[in-house]
Amino acid sequence: MNTEILLKSERCKGCGICVSFCPKKVLGLDTLGHCSVINEQACIACGQCELRCPDYAIFVDKKVGA
Amino acid sequence: MKERTYEKYFRQNRLPHIWCPGCGNGIAMKAIVQAVEMRGLPRDKTIIVSGIGCSSRASGYMDFDTLHTAHGRAIPFATGIKLANPELNVIVITGDGDCTAIGGNHFIHGARRNIDLTVVLFNNTIYGMTGGQASPMTPLHKKATTAPYGSVDRPFDACNLAQAAGASYVARSTAFHVQHMTDMIAEGISCRGFAFIETVVQCPTAYGRKNKMPDPAEMMKWMRDNAVMKTAWDRMPEEKKADKFPIGVFHRHQAVEYTEAYSEVITLAQEGGK
Amino acid sequence: MTDMKLMQGNEACAAGAVAAGVRFFGGYPITPSTEIAETMAKILPSVGGCFVQMEDEIGGMGVVLGASLAGKKVLTATSGPGFSLKQELIGYAACAEIPVVIVNVQRVGPSTGQPTSPAQGDVMQARWGTHGDHPMIALSPWTVRETFDAAVMAVNYAERFRTPVILLMDEIVGHLRENVQLPAAENIDIYPRRCPSKTRLQGYEPYAPEADLVPNPADFGTGYRIHVTGLVHDYTGFPSGSPAVTEEFIDRLHKKILLAQDEITHYDEFFMDDAEYAVVSYGGVARTAYEAVRQARAKGIKAGMIRLMTIWPFADKVIRRNAESLKGILVPELNYGQLKYEVERAAGGKCPVKLLAKYNTEIFVPGEILEGIEALKGGRL
Ligand SMILES: Cc1ncc(C[n+]2csc(CCOP(=O)(O)OP(=O)(O)O)c2C)c(N)n1
Ligand code: SF4
Ligand code: SF4
Ligand code: SF4
Ligand SMILES: [Mg+2]
């Protein structure tokens, strides 16, 4: 895994914007309607999700040293 | 994880914000604090002033001196703050109704005076807070609770309005173009004079649902597909413009700034008024 | 004391405000208040202050509230139509506790009415013009000299209680010219802008009341990062939907003024020691009433006069105390009857209270009020 995805679930409202804009289908909504990581391996750290999340609930970084 | 340094500009104990899932206001609010950070504004000398509306609730989440005024009146309050203490950086957050309906007169007069404010209009083309009534920026034929058959009122182009009224800097962006939006706001902050930035934001709840676009991501994709950079727009044939709209900087003209002009009045008066 | 000089009421108002420390004026011209704006436009920049002519009275009110939050003592001035426009933000100032003085030089209404003629038709609007429950302080001077003092007092009260204060003038006093001797600057008491009593680290809460029930929200730009809103808020300044917070908040807004009611209720009593009949009067009309009472005395009628300077909060105590021993009270007003009902309420049925109303643009002449006193005595009112 080259990337690190941090979810602040208490902020997530489950709008699905991150899911929709993720080019690699890394994200999905869980049964509670919150964002969840379903395929972390695929993440390319493009930052689209973090950029457009209106609730500052998802953060992605390239792993240090990766 | 790297620190997100802009997060220090939020009142953490006030988050999450009250906005609906997918509301574009959160994106615009983050763009503002990132622009403030880019410009290195001293936090204790930066004042956020807002009107009334969903968008105007932003002031409560931002860790500066913040002022949530009355509907339409943010610009006069901001004018008073700036005139009283010109060393303060004053940023106004307003909605399409707040700025161009009830506050329309203050808006054009603020621009006319060219007072050094950065005014960011969160344009969701609807009255969000009160549940979806038409605003002066609701596009023709779009639906609102007070325009159930589609709006027949012609909308304002707030950027044209600001420019015609005398603003020093006028730009537009969208919630899809996050980085661009931040740049547009940052340039507005640098401008010494009345800077106006319209940012198109999605309101899935009060606008989207009524206009067959209930999904916030779809609304943002609509922005992606219909916003055209100013340079391309200028070269675009009229018949292709239809539902499209330009974004970018429309106007830059550094005219005399109002508090500077008034400081000359003070000098004159103190010399005995020649 | 300074030299004697001929001054207009409106000019005295501006001079008093500046003497009390006002350094910011925003407004919109309207007869018969315009000279206040004009005088401020001239004086303020010369003392390093700021005058701004706004696009309307709402803007005029907003701009002074912004300036007040940024640390300036502020004034705005208007007349009836503009006073109506300012009402929403007068309520904002009451709710967010922002010091501001609003001058209303009253003219004949409703609507555009008779712009150049005097009236006292905004007494109730001064009290209840903005929506919702709120306290109000309103002062009504009767001479040019007192207009100066009232302006100083209004600014001091606005700062002390952090509340809007209305200087309820009328065209008579606003446009009157009198010889006045103003106090020297060092003899004028000035209430300074209140400051936070704690630092952020000490747990400062901008809307926590002090012992006098008035909070000390910090001026903008001083490093406290406070939030100011017109929504009901708790001590932190942030909105609260709690019934308990709301109740305590509305209560405190009223009580901070009521605690000091006796101190801020100013009035004069003339010939009241043995009076059987009293005229209760205020503003420009009191000048005529005073003459009428003297003429009544000359005719052997035991008439006296209570002249109210503080209109709101209403001077219940002085009216109640006098009503016990009076046979009747006459209230001459340049309106269809407004403060008369307050006098009647305060008199509590101890003596009859009669109205002498005039609303035809003309001022009272002493003979009219004298006739009124005689009619009151004769039971003909
Ligand atoms: C004087 C006044 N009139 C009406 C309202 C009710 N009101 C509150 S917000 C609003 C509309 C807000 O629309 P906009 O400015 O576009 O902001 P949005 O909620 O869409 O962000 C209205 C009409 C009010 N608060 N005050
Ligand atoms: S965009 Fe943000 S708020 Fe929306 S689902 Fe994703 S993480 Fe949650
Ligand atoms: S960084 Fe890009 S690839 Fe990774 S989850 Fe976010 S949007 Fe998907
Ligand atoms: S109603 Fe619209 S503008 Fe208001 S919070 Fe909801 S989505 Fe945002
Ligand atoms: Mg809107």
Side-chain angles (χ1 to χ4, degrees), chain C residues 51-97:
Chain C
F51 167 91
V52 58
Q53 179 169 327
M54 293 299 283
E55 49 276 12
D56 57 30
E57 286 85 349
I58 305 174
M61 197 63 209
V63 82
V64 295
L65 294 183
S68 184
L69 286 165
K72 298 285 183 202
K73 292 188 178 179
V74 301
L75 184 81
T76 185
T78 188
S79 184
F83 195 50
S84 296
L85 287 179
K86 287 181 186 293
Q87 291 299 339
E88 186 195 6
L89 293 187
I90 292 176
Y92 187 93
C95 180
E97 300 182 77

Side-chain angles (χ1 to χ4, degrees), chain B residues 181-196:
Chain B
M181 186 201 293
T182 309
D183 293 341
M184 295 293 99
I185 297 170
E187 188 176 344
I189 289 172
S190 300
C191 158
R192 279 216 44 83
F194 193 91
F196 177 74

Side-chain angles (χ1 to χ4, degrees), chain B residues 127-190:
Chain B
Y127 285 0
M129 177 133 271
T130 43
Q133 299 76 31
S135 94
M137 295 182 74
T138 301
L140 265 183
H141 313 308
K142 293 297 181 190
K143 290 194 172 143
T145 59
T146 49
Y149 306 103
S151 173
V152 292
D153 293 32
R154 292 190 308 163
F156 269 139
D157 179 325
C159 289
N160 283 345
L161 199 55
Q163 181 174 342
S168 276
Y169 171 84
V170 179
R172 181 187 287 127
S173 192
T174 86
F176 174 81
H177 303 82
V178 188
Q179 198 50 57
H180 178 260
M181 186 201 293
T182 309
D183 293 341
M184 295 293 99
I185 297 170
E187 188 176 344
I189 289 172
S190 300

Side-chain angles (χ1 to χ4, degrees), chain A residues 7 11-19 27 29 33-35 49 52-58, chain B residues 21-22:
Chain A
L7 283 171
R11 287 186 181 177
C12 173
K13 292 178 188 153
C15 67
I17 289 176
C18 55
V19 179
L27 306 168
L29 296 182
H34 288 140
C35 172
C49 51
R52 299 205 168 76
C53 170
D55 287 86
Y56 332 126
I58 184 165

Side-chain angles (χ1 to χ4, degrees), chain C residues 205-283:
Chain C
E205 290 186 307
Y207 281 91
E210 299 291 321
D212 60 357
L213 301 185
V214 182
N216 294 335
D219 291 339
F220 282 174
T222 58
Y224 283 86
R225 286 182 226 150
I226 70 167
H227 184 58
V228 175
T229 177
L231 287 163
V232 168
H233 43 272
D234 58 24
Y235 293 173
T236 65
F238 288 91
S240 164
S242 144
V245 167
T246 308
E247 186 173 313
E248 198 223 61
F249 171 72
I250 304 279
D251 228 26
R252 184 177 61 73
L253 287 187
H254 287 83
K255 285 189 178 148
K256 71 178 177 181
I257 310 285
L258 291 178
L259 270 182
Q261 176 158 5
D262 289 345
E263 213 186 313
I264 64 175
T265 305
H266 304 280
Y267 54 84
D268 295 315
E269 292 174 272
F270 298 107
F271 318 113
M272 287 302 295
D273 288 347
D274 62 341
E276 293 177 347
Y277 300 93
V279 177
V280 174
S281 191
Y282 58 98

Side-chain angles (χ1 to χ4, degrees), chain C residues 4 8 22 48 95 142 177 223 235 261 271 286 305 339 349 366 373:
Chain C
M4 194 67 114
Q8 189 199 47
V22 165
C95 180
W142 73 323
R177 283 178 194 281
Y235 293 173
Q261 176 158 5
F271 318 113
M305 165 161 153
L339 208 61
I373 296 169

Side-chain angles (χ1 to χ4, degrees), chain B:
Chain B
M1 181 119 325
K2 267 188 312 216
E3 192 195 350
R4 301 303 191 259
T5 48
Y6 63 84
E7 282 262 338
K8 67 173 177 285
Y9 294 107
F10 293 132
R11 288 172 169 141
Q12 297 293 336
N13 62 342
R14 296 276 144 198
L15 292 175
H17 49 60
I18 54 158
W19 296 315
C20 303
C23 174
N25 289 343
I27 297 172
M29 179 164 84
K30 179 167 135 188
I32 293 175
V33 297
Q34 288 189 303
V36 165
E37 186 173 42
M38 274 166 74
R39 285 297 171 254
L41 297 188
R43 188 166 7 169
D44 290 339
K45 298 292 171 195
T46 301
I47 320 292
I48 311 289
V49 184
S50 63
I52 293 287
C54 293
S55 39
S56 288
R57 290 307 279 270
S59 56
Y61 304 111
M62 301 169 76
D63 198 15
F64 302 86
D65 279 324
T66 53
L67 175 60
H68 179 228
T69 69
H71 195 25
R73 316 304 171 197
I75 290 175
F77 276 78
T79 299
I81 294 167
K82 183 73 191 176
L83 272 169
N85 187 356
E87 72 162 304
L88 299 177
N89 306 290
V90 186
I91 298 174
V92 173
I93 297 175
T94 176
D96 43 310
D98 196 65
C99 184
T100 70
I102 192 163
N105 202 27
H106 307 310
F107 171 43
I108 57 175
H109 285 274
R112 172 181 66 83
R113 283 185 198 99
N114 196 36
I115 184 156
D116 185 21
L117 306 176
T118 305
V119 177
V120 187
L121 188 162
F122 291 16
N123 179 19
N124 57 10
T125 70
I126 201 82
Y127 285 0
M129 177 133 271
T130 43
Q133 299 76 31
S135 94
M137 295 182 74
T138 301
L140 265 183
H141 313 308
K142 293 297 181 190
K143 290 194 172 143
T145 59
T146 49
Y149 306 103
S151 173
V152 292
D153 293 32
R154 292 190 308 163
F156 269 139
D157 179 325
C159 289
N160 283 345
L161 199 55
Q163 181 174 342
S168 276
Y169 171 84
V170 179
R172 181 187 287 127
S173 192
T174 86
F176 174 81
H177 303 82
V178 188
Q179 198 50 57
H180 178 260
M181 186 201 293
T182 309
D183 293 341
M184 295 293 99
I185 297 170
E187 188 176 344
I189 289 172
S190 300
C191 158
R192 279 216 44 83
F194 193 91
F196 177 74
I197 302 97
E198 173 190 335
T199 175
V200 178
V201 291
Q202 70 277 12
C203 165
T205 307
Y207 182 81
R209 274 195 216 154
K210 251 171 233 88
N211 289 288
K212 303 198 180 86
M213 227 190 266
D215 178 51
E218 288 309 310
M219 295 182 86
M220 293 172 81
K221 286 175 184 164
W222 177 89
M223 293 173 201
R224 177 191 65 196
D225 297 340
N226 288 283
V228 180
M229 287 295 168
K230 166 92 170 55
T231 39
W233 175 266
D234 289 342
R235 283 183 267 108
M236 210 166 158
E238 282 306 313
E239 67 276 11
K240 286 204 169 160
K241 288 183 175 169
D243 281 343
K244 302 206 183 301
F245 62 94
I247 59 173
V249 179
F250 301 129
H251 179 68
R252 280 188 193 95
H253 173 73
Q254 192 58 69
V256 181
E257 194 276 321
Y258 192 71
T259 57
E260 283 169 14
Y262 198 79
S263 72
E264 284 172 28
V265 173
I266 294 178
T267 309
L268 263 178
Q270 294 185 337
E271 283 167 358
K274 271 153 274 178

